[in-house]
Amino acid sequence: MPDEKDTRRSGEFRLSLEAAERKTPDVIPLHRAVMREMAEPRDGLEPVPVWLILGFLALAGWAGFYIAMNSGGFAPDQYNERALFAAKPAESPKPVDPMVLGRRTFSNCVTCHQQNGEGVEGAFPPLAGSEFVNGPPEQLAALLLHGMNGPLRVKGATYNGEMPEWGSKLKDEQIAAVLTFIRASFGNNAPPVSPGLVRQVREATASRNRPWTEAELKQFRLGG
Amino acid sequence: MDTSPDTSGPSATPAEERERLTRIQIDRSCRQAVVWYYASAVFWLLVGTVLALIASIKMHSPGFLAGWEWLTFGRVRPAHLAAMIYGWGSMAGVGTLLWLQARLTRNRLPFPTLLPATAVIWNLTVAYGLVALFAGRSTSIEWIEIPPETAILFGFCIAVLIAASIRMLRQRESKHTYVSQWYLFGAIFWFPVLYVSAQIFLHTPAARGAVKAAANWWFAHNVLGLWFTPIGLATVYYLIPKVIGRPVHSYHLSLLGFWTLAIFYNWAGTHHLIGGPLPAWLITVGIVGSVMMFVPVVTVAVNHHMTMVGNFHHLKYSPTLRFVVYGAVCYTAVSFQGSLQSLRSVNEITHFTHYTIAHAHLGVYAFFTMVMFGAIYYVAPRLLNAEWHSAGWIRVHFWTTAVGMAIYWLGLTWAGWQQGRMMNDPRIPFLDIVRYTVPWLWSRSFAGVLMTIGHLSFAWLFWNMLRQRGAYLPGPTLLVRRKEESAVAAGGEG
Amino acid sequence: MNRAWMLALGVFATILASMAGLVLIPEKQLRATAPVKDEERDITLPAGYYGDIEEGRRVYMDLGCIYCHTQQVRPEGFGADIDRGWGVRRSVARDYIYDEPPLMGTMRTGPDLFNIGARQPSAQWHYLHLYQPQITSPGSIMPPHRFLFEVRHSPDGLPEDAVRLPDEFAEKKPAWIVPKDRARRLVAYLLSLDHNYEVPEAR
């Protein structure tokens, strides 16, 4: 344990060296940091703990098992990692709940009409409480099949935009499902729409090649 | 105060005196190159920090600076990454790598003009990359957005670094190589192989379509795993025993940790593509590589912890040790997190969310960057023969970055987890999820401001170091003044 | 360790092994992947990129859209990608054979765009959304891309694809936004993103 005097003396010595260094910058600088540092690191030789080795072996075993179980036979076109072991799915297609299919298909609508069906004020009309959504199903189906263009009044507000046609992109089942979904959501309470009705409307309007205007659509009747 | 007569000053034995002289000569040979790399690194740290703040603010306030195309979020974000990865991280890493190799092989650093020249070229390359990004020339491949021609320039720099490494290694004083040297040697070879081959895979038909994505993540994950991680670990392996003056706990653990890292880490990349359009086996292999990372991580953690045991009180004094140990602890944390996150069931939630962003920063920042801060605090005084001019600013640096990082990580990890859970529930409108994350994005900006304060104080300290201000303080700059002056404690400084 | 050559050998062996395993072997496995034939429409899918679509893809890349939008659909039962209607099936390697590079992305600050052309086929919507995302998507944190448009206040000589801004977003009423060529190409690319065709391996 150095006493205070020693400490001061060694400090003074250091300072005098530094003063000397400042006068003669060409000599090897006295690296005080180097002077005080510890020796270069060395290796201890403690053994690897047994629990560590056992743990690693267990992990290696898991790794082998996981690869064997989850590699789908290393096939280039196998994306299901459990394919080799999964039970074969039943061949008969399970019936799809129109509300589930409807919700999925509805994702095509949310960019404009929003997920809550409220639309955007001044830009996109709402589906909630809309006269069109809750109105005659054949007009609604026709609207979806061919789109719409120009001024449109919904719930007392006027919109002026375009609705794309979905007839070339969605199947009858999807259109029926999404109509069923929006007619039963957001507080709407209109009866479901069947794929058969959509097919009828599609056939009846097969010759149409442009979007509806509001007036045209309101006059549309099946078989009329 | 370094006033113990046992380890410093006039009372050394002739052998100790020779040892010191050797170190002085080594450090002097490193001065030009390493200071160039460090100073450049600090510059890019500031550039990257500004870009980070802009990007962070844009995330919650999209109108911020939205009028300028070159500052749109999609350009600022890759510019932030490039400045931090290729500017700050790589240059701080190379500087440390050169100094450590010279010290460990007990050689003078070769190529006294060529090596500083590589630092200049490296700077120009990074600057060129950033300009290209702002000008809209991004490759849109994550982690390697800067143009492919940078591979030639980086390749040249690394070739010189490799030549220097091999020369020093061949002329090493003792046949035995210390664990840090393995990691450094690995890093200096792994990085160029990765960078050049990734450019080939990504910009030529050597890999096509979805396989380019696999090549992308093989590269990107390995920049962290085989470039930053080995340099960071080499630094930790050197500095902890150096500062506390004890041997590393176990050579056998060092050996096990190094080789298991080399074997497992580079397979982890495809865990970024879970659920993505690549064959099941490729994803599974990536998951196994990630989980097997438990082996090197636990090994290294045990080794470091056992070395530190009984010496934790040094954390109170030594800036180097405090930053390095913070980094080492975060290395364990981020690796554990990474292994768990790669499991399909966890990844189903965390993929595509802010959780991943928090994780990436825990690795590159809380681990690697903090270790580099510690290294610079240790190395720079030796190269520039000056002491850090203010302990207060070092404390500010430590606490702002440490606390800032903690806030950053906690906020985005929580937000990301919730975001992932909500995204997996189709009944929750997407925009509601966006609204949910906004307050947490603000918390990230707040953390970013803290970290910026830290970086500014670090840059201020480094600037004063360069100008040799505070050069003739009577002793090392410790975080707090030491009360007792034991022989061991006196050596553990800086 | 005392032998440097052992170290060097190990260093190279490990990186080459993973390069082979994660890149070269998958490339060999997937190299022969061909587009699927759509007999009904007599085309092959994916269609590839050409003309405006190809240039629009370049705009998508240079604006960094990938940092917030993915282009991949995870399988049924893994996440809710399909339940959210982002696709009718998972994405597979075949969908990306013409992608140089693939723009799969890793972050969903915004929704997935793998099938945005099918989900939102209206160019007008995309112009409005790019100009000011909060018009079409209240609460969005996407930055506005006004630099892709010019604003006009007179209806004379407007091009066909000019879009009238909703009044509350127009600074001087009335206002139309006219997309620049880069916006047109970007939207052409977005509208081309439709991967809802059937592929055999998407089980």
Side-chain angles (χ1 to χ4, degrees):
Chain A
M1 204 66 179
D3 63 24
E4 206 180 319
K5 207 169 133 205
D6 279 348
T7 307
R8 201 171 52 238
R9 212 173 42 233
S10 97
E12 279 162 13
F13 174 80
R14 188 88 30 78
L15 287 174
S16 70
L17 277 183
E18 279 156 6
E21 189 198 354
R22 273 197 292 266
K23 278 178 216 139
T24 55
D26 280 342
V27 298
I28 296 173
L30 182 68
H31 287 226
R32 284 163 303 116
V34 172
M35 302 286 282
R36 65 178 178 247
E37 77 180 47
M38 296 284 189
E40 299 297 335
R42 287 161 293 125
D43 292 308
L45 287 169
E46 301 294 324
V48 178
V50 176
W51 62 266
L52 211 56
I53 297 174
L54 292 179
F56 297 164
L57 289 178
L59 208 56
W62 169 86
F65 178 76
Y66 189 79
I67 290 190
M69 294 298 284
N70 290 282
S71 291
F74 291 89
D77 58 351
Q78 184 53 264
Y79 293 88
N80 177 4
E81 70 275 8
R82 304 287 296 165
L84 297 189
F85 307 96
K88 286 266 184 291
E91 280 304 305
S92 63
K94 48 185 177 201
V96 182
D97 178 356
M99 285 298 277
V100 171
L101 181 61
R103 180 186 289 124
R104 286 183 182 181
T105 313
F106 182 64
S107 75
N108 294 341
C109 321
V110 297
T111 47
C112 293
H113 298 295
Q114 309 299 319
Q115 201 123 6
N116 56 11
E118 292 293 343
V120 176
E121 205 185 317
F124 309 114
L127 305 178
S130 156
E131 301 88 324
F132 290 89
V133 174
N134 297 293
E138 67 269 23
Q139 286 182 6
L140 189 57
L143 166 55
L144 236 72
L145 284 167
H146 298 284
M148 197 155 191
N149 208 348
L152 171 73
R153 274 189 86 71
V154 179
K155 289 169 80 178
T158 305
Y159 299 85
N160 189 359
E162 67 168 30
M163 156 113 177
E165 59 86 17
W166 293 95
S168 67
K169 299 187 176 67
L170 299 178
K171 300 187 186 104
D172 294 342
E173 292 74 25
Q174 289 174 300
I175 292 182
V178 76
L179 294 184
T180 302
F181 174 76
I182 61 173
R183 280 159 71 91
S185 306
F186 330 119
N188 295 339
N189 194 10
V193 180
S194 72
L197 178 82
V198 179
R199 193 179 324 112
Q200 279 179 298
V201 175
R202 195 192 279 274
E203 281 160 9
T205 58
S207 60
R208 190 170 185 89
N209 57 6
R210 58 190 166 80
W212 302 94
T213 62
E214 184 177 16
E216 284 176 336
L217 185 67
K218 282 197 161 154
Q219 282 162 14
F220 173 72
R221 299 277 184 284
L222 254 187
Chain B
M1 305 289 281
D2 62 322
T3 48
S4 164
D6 305 322
T7 53
S8 70
S11 63
T13 63
E16 282 170 337
E17 204 56 54
R18 267 201 310 281
E19 163 74 22
R20 284 174 190 162
L21 213 65
T22 315
R23 276 187 210 145
I24 289 171
Q25 287 172 340
I26 292 171
D27 286 357
R28 206 176 193 200
S29 73
C30 289
R31 181 175 180 156
Q32 281 284 321
V34 176
V35 170
W36 259 104
Y37 269 100
Y38 275 174
S40 315
V42 174
F43 169 74
W44 290 118
L45 176 70
L46 294 183
V47 172
T49 305
V50 171
L51 294 170
L53 264 187
I54 295 176
S56 178
I57 294 171
K58 276 169 174 283
M59 282 289 270
H60 49 71
S61 308
F64 180 65
L65 298 179
W68 290 296
E69 180 169 8
W70 67 280
L71 277 180
T72 194
F73 178 80
R75 292 190 183 168
V76 173
R77 187 198 179 284
H80 157 64
L81 184 133
M84 287 306 196
I85 297 304
Y86 300 111
W88 154 250
S90 293
M91 296 196 81
V94 169
T96 309
L97 172 141
L98 289 174
W99 183 79
L100 282 178
Q101 284 190 325
R103 275 294 189 99
L104 286 165
T105 60
R106 304 185 67 71
N107 265 297
R108 293 186 193 207
L109 195 65
F111 313 142
T113 37
L114 202 51
L115 279 175
T118 60
V120 176
I121 296 172
W122 198 295
N123 278 319
L124 293 174
T125 313
V126 177
Y128 169 73
L130 286 194
V131 170
L133 290 181
F134 285 128
R137 275 201 56 212
S138 167
T139 63
S140 235
I141 303 169
E142 282 188 71
W143 284 71
I144 194 161
E145 289 95 344
I146 57 179
E149 54 269 29
T150 54
I152 300 166
L153 296 165
F154 281 147
F156 170 77
C157 296
I158 295 271
V160 176
L161 296 176
I162 289 178
S165 298
I166 292 182
R167 190 149 147 184
M168 285 189 279
L169 198 67
R170 284 177 65 100
Q171 296 172 353
R172 65 188 185 273
E173 193 183 86
S174 94
K175 203 165 177 243
H176 177 75
T177 53
Y178 181 65
V179 47
S180 291
Q181 283 172 278
W182 317 335
Y183 283 105
L184 295 173
F185 192 76
I188 202 67
F189 278 98
W190 281 325
F191 181 66
V193 172
L194 280 169
Y195 198 81
V196 174
S197 59
Q199 297 285 9
I200 293 170
F201 289 133
L202 293 168
H203 295 290
T204 74
R208 297 189 319 161
V211 182
K212 273 189 165 42
N216 180 187
W217 287 109
W218 170 76
F219 166 80
H221 205 85
N222 282 343
V223 173
L224 184 64
L226 297 184
W227 175 234
F228 289 147
T229 298
I231 294 179
L233 288 182
T235 310
V236 177
Y237 264 118
Y238 183 86
L239 285 178
I240 288 183
K242 184 81 182 170
V243 173
I244 65 177
R246 274 182 59 168
V248 156
H249 175 67
S250 163
Y251 170 78
H252 307 290
L253 283 175
S254 304
L255 206 60
L256 180 68
F258 173 76
W259 285 113
T260 47
L261 177 125
I263 290 168
F264 295 128
Y265 214 151
N266 45 11
W267 289 87
T270 46
H271 68 218
H272 288 268
L273 296 163
I274 295 173
L278 284 158
W281 72 264
L282 190 55
I283 309 296
T284 295
V285 163
I287 294 172
V288 168
S290 313
V291 173
M292 289 308 284
M293 275 304 290
F294 273 126
V295 180
V297 171
V298 173
T299 308
V300 167
V302 169
N303 213 3
H304 288 164
H305 181 79
M306 296 307 285
T307 309
M308 273 300 287
V309 162
N311 287 284
F312 285 103
H313 58 280
H314 288 307
L315 292 177
K316 205 168 154 195
Y317 309 112
S318 164
T320 296
L321 201 62
R322 199 185 282 179
F323 276 99
V324 166
V325 169
Y326 183 102
V329 170
C330 288
Y331 170 67
T332 310
V334 73
S335 306
F336 270 57
Q337 198 196 8
S339 296
L340 294 175
Q341 207 176 326
S342 73
L343 296 171
R344 282 186 166 93
S345 50
V346 181
N347 191 273
E348 180 180 4
I349 296 170
T350 61
H351 199 18
F352 306 130
T353 70
H354 296 297
Y355 187 97
T356 313
I357 312 294
H359 173 67
H361 283 78
L362 192 62
V364 179
Y365 195 91
F367 161 48
F368 182 73
T369 293
M370 293 299 258
V371 169
M372 283 301 114
F373 287 147
I376 293 176
Y377 277 122
Y378 193 85
V379 179
R382 283 155 177 77
L383 301 178
L384 292 160
N385 193 26
E387 304 295 348
W388 296 102
H389 96 289
S390 156
W393 283 113
I394 303 180
R395 281 199 296 271
V396 170
H397 179 206
F398 179 78
W399 286 111
T400 49
T401 50
V403 173
M405 186 59 227
I407 296 175
Y408 187 113
W409 185 82
L410 286 171
L412 286 196
T413 299
W414 173 257
W417 185 262
Q418 295 302 329
Q419 182 192 9
R421 287 175 40 132
M422 288 195 272
M423 268 203 289
N424 289 349
D425 180 350
R427 289 165 307 179
I428 299 178
F430 193 88
L431 283 167
D432 286 2
I433 305 172
V434 174
R435 287 190 197 97
Y436 169 82
T437 59
V438 169
W440 299 103
L441 297 174
W442 276 96
S443 84
R444 189 240 307 263
S445 286
F446 173 71
V449 169
L450 280 183
M451 288 147 93
T452 306
I453 294 170
H455 297 167
L456 287 174
S457 31
F458 177 61
W460 170 244
L461 285 165
F462 194 82
W463 173 246
N464 280 322
M465 171 66 77
L466 280 180
R467 291 171 60 217
Q468 310 262 311
R469 271 186 53 185
Y472 294 105
L473 292 178
T477 312
L478 301 177
L479 290 164
V480 289
R481 202 167 277 271
R482 248 199 307 250
K483 285 198 193 89
E484 89 281 17
E485 289 287 341
S486 74
V488 173
E493 47 55 72
Chain C
M1 270 187 292
N2 293 334
R3 294 188 188 83
W5 65 265
M6 246 178 65
L7 183 61
L9 201 70
V11 160
F12 276 107
T14 48
I15 187 102
L16 292 180
S18 73
M19 188 198 291
L22 298 187
V23 185
L24 298 175
I25 294 173
E27 174 59 22
K28 191 171 179 324
Q29 276 198 337
L30 293 171
R31 181 156 276 261
T33 311
V36 287
K37 180 109 178 142
D38 182 339
E39 301 287 353
E40 211 173 289
R41 288 188 282 170
D42 195 29
I43 49 172
T44 57
L45 294 165
Y49 310 101
Y50 44 82
D52 272 2
I53 294 177
E54 189 182 8
E55 300 206 1
R57 190 168 198 272
R58 188 57 243 175
V59 177
Y60 186 96
M61 287 161 64
D62 94 44
L63 292 176
C65 305
I66 60 157
Y67 299 108
C68 295
H69 295 283
T70 54
Q71 286 190 25
Q72 54 177 312
V73 178
R74 293 187 287 178
E76 180 101 54
F78 191 78
D81 299 18
I82 291 179
D83 275 331
R84 282 192 178 272
W86 288 337
V88 296
R89 61 164 176 84
R90 67 164 304 150
S91 49
V92 295
R94 196 190 297 274
D95 298 321
Y96 300 86
I97 50 176
Y98 300 121
D99 286 21
E100 303 287 336
L103 303 174
M104 284 171 202
T106 49
M107 182 68 190
R108 283 178 177 165
T109 305
D112 185 82
L113 299 181
F114 198 51
N115 295 298
I116 186 64
R119 291 199 287 122
Q120 178 46 277
S122 160
Q124 288 211 356
W125 183 92
H126 285 290
Y127 289 140
L128 270 181
H129 180 245
L130 284 169
Y131 179 80
Q132 174 71 39
Q134 290 72 28
I135 297 178
T136 58
S137 316
S140 164
I141 52 172
M142 172 164 150
H145 290 67
R146 298 203 190 104
F147 44 79
L148 295 175
F149 299 87
E150 37 180 307
V151 179
R152 295 205 200 152
H153 296 290
S154 142
D156 304 328
L158 283 175
E160 210 168 282
D161 55 2
V163 181
R164 180 156 174 185
L165 281 175
D167 286 345
E168 73 238 59
F169 291 97
E171 288 162 29
K172 270 187 231 160
K173 302 171 198 184
W176 288 264
I177 49 167
V178 177
K180 295 180 185 166
D181 280 350
R182 275 156 55 78
R184 289 198 180 98
R185 291 175 187 141
L186 177 57
V187 169
Y189 170 65
L190 292 173
L191 294 183
S192 80
L193 288 174
D194 177 356
H195 297 88
N196 282 337
Y197 46 86
E198 281 181 23
V199 292
E201 64 272 33
R203 292 176 281 256

